[in-house]
Structure formats: structure tokens, C-alpha cells
Amino acid sequence: MYRVVKRRQLASAPCIVLLEVEAPAVAAKVEPGQFVIVRMDEQSERIPLTVMDFDREKGTITIVIQDVGYSSAMINSMEEGSHFLDFVGPLGVPSEIENLGTVVCIGGGLGVAPVYPIARALKEAGNKLISVIGARSADILILEEEMAAISDELVIATDDGSKGVKGFVTNGLEQIIAQGTKIDAIWAIGPVVMMRSVANFTRPLGIKTIVSMNPIMVDGTGMCGACRLSVGDETKFACVDGPEFDGHLVDFDLAMKRLAFYKDEEERAKVSKDC
Ligand code: FES
């Protein structure tokens, strides 16, 4: 059983919670960019979550969950000392971390959590790290302190202008490029529509852009095909070929259609839980 050793609420509407979970076998092997599939109990669905942090000595994995439906709401209500039934991982291919020069790491909404360990590893590899994080408004912007601590420069964007640049993370990126900064690579993680905007913006500029896809997953081991994506006209499975892909090759429109497949069921399954 996988015990929750720390719970920290990052936002309340929507409810976003950080959980540090004892999972020594996963913590021993995990690398930035990989994910786990968790299941709270027998009744819960399996949820893929990209790892936000890990501590090999303590044997813990940190995940961040946003309340989007029944299972995520139940997980977000877990107290310290409670247990997950399943905590499978590490899954997927780790990020390719090397010294590229100047890199920009972009996290939109919940995407700040998975981009954090990648950004930290890129910084540790010797890159100049510029981070852009964004949210709809300042009250649901997550992990600002953590990102500021590892970044040479941090740009914040909020849709409503309550903090930083008014607009989307792409506006923050535009600002960096307008300053004449030469960018060697970009990691962009967040809602599919955000990753599509970043990729569309960087394609004509020829800036390598990596995105992390989080499609519907079932087994997480390449057997069921639920997580399939079209990348450069090839079919790829996000769970074993990704989750990171070249953002200039991903068919985002198809990915969005597939993600919306169970929207009605998700709406019907929503529960009201205190954050
Ligand atoms: Fe089944 Fe990827 S989740 S093939």
C-alpha cells in the first residue's frame, strides 16, 4: 500500500492538491518526464499522472491532481496517512536532458507540475533556464516559488491579468523572443489547446518544441491502444512511445477529439467534495 505522507492544497477552485506518496520502488527508478498510474481503491478508475517530484532517499513520489471528475475528486480528498491501492510506475520514456544552451520551460495550468522536474534537470545539466508559467488567474497559479527557485528568469502569464503578463503563456513566450533571446529548445506542458498554440507559434521560427501528451490511458503498457496519437502521420502510443513528442508533428486536433470522447460521462460522474 502506498501511504500519503504529505498533502498540500495548491488551489481551491478548481481544487488542486499536491500529494507526496511513499512508493520506494518507483522513486528508485523514476526520471523527469515519466508518469505513474494510480488507483485509490477498488472502485476508482486508473489515472495517469506525470511525476512532479521524487526523493530517492525518502522513497517518495510527489504528484499534483486537479479535481476534474469523480476519481480525481476522491483522490484530492485523501488525508495524510491514507493509502493508494495501486501506484504503478515509472512509465513512459524519460525526457532527453542535455546541455542545449538556452531552454524555455512552459507550464500552463496543471502543466506546471510535470514541467517542474524537467526544468530542474535541464538547469542542473547546465542550460540557461527561462520558465513561463500561466493560469486563468493568480489564485490558481501553482508552484510559482518552486519554479522561481530553479529558473534564471521566470515569466508569469494570467488570462485575466491578475499577475504578470495579461494573456496566455504564448504571450509570455512572445515577450522573451521580442527581447532577442536565442532559444535552443522549448518544453511546453499544459492543456492540449495551449500546447498546440505554442507549437504553432514556434514552428515558423524553427525552435525545437517538446510537448507532453496526457491522453486517455487504460493499461499504460502499450497493450490497449487507448492512448494512441497521430505524430508525423505515424500512430504512436503515449504510454510507451511518449509521453513527450515533437510538438511540430503532433496532430493536436485529433488528440482533442479523442480526449473529449467521455466528456458527458465525466460530467455526470462529477461529485461535490470539499477541497
Ligand atoms: Fe493502453 Fe497506452 S494506455 S496502449
Side-chain angles (χ1 to χ4, degrees):
M1 294 285 266
Y2 305 92
R3 189 166 63 101
V4 175
V5 294
K6 182 172 145 194
R7 179 187 191 274
R8 186 175 133 210
Q9 187 180 319
L10 303 182
S12 55
C15 179
I16 304 177
V17 168
L18 175 154
L19 296 178
E20 187 178 347
V21 183
E22 273 177 350
V26 185
K29 286 194 186 155
V30 69
E31 297 291 344
Q34 291 189 292
F35 66 98
V36 291
I37 292 186
V38 306
R39 195 163 62 122
M40 196 181 85
D41 57 28
E42 293 284 355
Q43 266 68 52
S44 305
E45 63 186 316
R46 294 151 57 84
I47 301 184
L49 291 164
T50 310
V51 169
M52 182 251 153
D53 205 355
F54 51 90
D55 187 323
R56 298 204 202 284
E57 272 182 27
K58 278 166 72 186
T60 59
I61 295 285
T62 302
I63 50 177
V64 175
I65 304 116
Q66 178 173 331
D67 179 351
V68 290
Y70 179 80
S71 298
S72 50
M74 300 307 280
I75 290 174
N76 277 3
S77 65
M78 288 173 83
E79 306 279 353
E80 289 178 6
S82 54
H83 295 81
F84 280 92
L85 179 64
D86 296 330
F87 204 93
V88 180
L91 299 168
V93 181
S95 308
E96 264 182 54
I97 305 292
E98 53 186 319
N99 190 348
L100 299 161
T102 298
V103 295
V104 175
C105 285
I106 302 175
L110 197 70
V112 183
V115 95
Y116 171 73
I118 299 167
R120 184 177 57 189
L122 287 164
K123 175 69 184 164
E124 285 169 2
N127 291 283
K128 178 179 177 190
L129 171 65
I130 304 172
S131 300
V132 184
I133 59 172
R136 281 204 313 274
S137 58
D139 57 327
I140 53 170
L141 182 71
I142 62 167
L143 305 173
E144 179 187 344
E145 259 179 46
E146 287 82 351
M147 290 300 287
I150 58 167
S151 305
D152 293 293
E153 186 184 335
L154 176 67
V155 177
I156 293 171
T158 50
D159 298 9
D160 64 359
S162 48
K163 192 161 208 177
V165 179
K166 184 176 187 322
F168 306 121
V169 288
T170 36
N171 298 106
L173 179 61
E174 267 172 43
Q175 185 179 294
I176 294 162
I177 290 172
Q179 288 163 357
T181 308
K182 184 187 163 295
I183 301 169
D184 296 292
I186 292 175
W187 268 256
I189 309 183
V192 178
V193 67
M194 180 217 98
M195 295 191 285
R196 182 179 65 176
S197 298
V198 173
N200 285 346
F201 180 68
T202 58
R203 191 178 291 107
L205 302 174
I207 305 172
K208 175 179 169 176
T209 300
I210 311 290
V211 297
S212 179
M213 303 301 287
N214 191 2
I216 292 165
M217 287 191 186
V218 181
D219 66 318
T221 59
M223 307 286 280
C224 70
C227 66
R228 66 187 179 275
L229 298 162
S230 180
V231 182
D233 291 330
E234 281 182 58
T235 297
K236 297 280 184 188
F237 292 162
C239 67
V240 288
D241 300 320
E244 292 187 359
F245 294 100
D246 180 340
H248 296 157
L249 299 180
V250 173
D251 184 337
F252 290 106
D253 295 333
L254 182 63
M256 275 191 278
K257 260 189 221 154
R258 289 185 54 77
L259 266 177
F261 203 72
Y262 295 108
K263 256 210 152 18
D264 292 346
E265 286 81 354
E266 281 168 9
E267 269 313 309
R268 278 203 297 276
K270 271 200 173 151
V271 285
S272 172
K273 275 256 165 207
D274 286 340
C275 191

